[in-house]
Amino acid sequence: MTSDTFTANPLKTASSSETAAAASSLKIQRSRRRRMLTRLGCLIGLVVLFAALYQFAFVNPKFFSYAMSIRLPRLIVLLTAGTAISAAAIIFQTIIRNNIVTPCLLGMNSLYLLIHTGVVFFLGSGSEFATNPVYAFAVDIIVMGTAASFIYYSIFQKTGGNVLYVLLITTFFSSMQNSLTRIMDPNEYDALLNSLVASFTNVNAACIIPGIVLLALLAWWLRRDLSILDVISLGREQAISLGVDYETTLRRLMVGVALCIAVATALVGPLSFLGLITANVARQMFTTYRHTYLIAGASLVGMLVLAAGQFIVEHVMVYSVPVSVFVTIGGGIYFLYLILTQK
């Protein structure tokens, strides 16, 4: 026999190596997918647990119907707000390619405070826009959605996504609001204070259905843009080279983000650091570029934080401290941690 008889075919060897590598890669992907699905399942279980605890724990059977009529609207609102703020934070971070900032930190909450302060200052605390929650909800949605969409898209387009310019707009909103409160009548200011703090205890049921319907319409309108977030996260040049109408898509997503935050803020008030917490926790739990997992994970974390927080506030703290205080303090500490540890 010749020595060629014992020589392995290099093509077969290469093919076998590629097959083994592909099988190994597929196994790793399946394992990673199982882990992420397991974590999603755990989050869903925790959300259901704390939602059930909040809804049914410590209820006197004699007043069961009355308790449900009070607790159910609050539960729906906190789950809706947690979903809207968290999903908007993930989308916004992907658009500007910055995992620390969120729409609430870049002026949405300041704009909300300015709108409510302006309504009371110019129209009075007894006006329909100040006392009627439906009118106030409509004003918040229209003004916040329009102003934030224009400001975010225009500034990010002209500055290449530089958040420092948006922070200047935030400073402007805060300065205007502070100026109005300084010259406002003390009685008017006292009436204004209740609307400037996030609260789940004074929920108006008339605003829940319009808010949920608006969020559902937004999700349907942006369904195609949301499906290509994985591509947008690659960057402008790569997305355009893959056939994405980058500018139009970003414009629609910015409008969607602004309206999501406007709905959530109009329902419960400003929650500055909730989006920061939920988005970054989701990114740490789901180390993937797929926004299906990131948005779902962030939404579940948001619902869990608010449901568990409100349960603790009502049944442990006995309403002594609102849940927004815990979110602000915890989020502020987490924000500093992210700044100091991010490379």
Side-chain angles (χ1 to χ4, degrees), residues 233-315:
S233 65
L234 298 174
R236 184 177 186 275
E237 291 75 16
Q238 290 82 353
I240 292 175
S241 66
L242 292 172
V244 175
D245 188 352
Y246 191 79
E247 301 300 333
T248 303
T249 301
L250 250 64
R251 189 181 301 113
R252 286 197 295 261
L253 287 173
M254 281 291 188
V255 172
V257 166
L259 288 175
C260 277
I261 298 297
V263 169
T265 307
L267 284 174
V268 301
L271 288 168
S272 298
F273 290 101
L274 180 64
L276 174 79
I277 296 171
T278 58
N280 284 279
V281 169
R283 292 185 187 278
Q284 292 175 358
M285 291 183 66
F286 304 94
T287 53
T288 178
Y289 66 91
R290 294 187 178 277
H291 285 75
T292 303
Y293 294 106
L294 292 176
I295 292 176
S299 300
L300 289 169
V301 172
M303 289 188 282
L304 176 60
V305 168
L306 293 182
Q310 190 64 21
F311 174 77
I312 293 172
V313 164
E314 293 192 13
H315 300 294

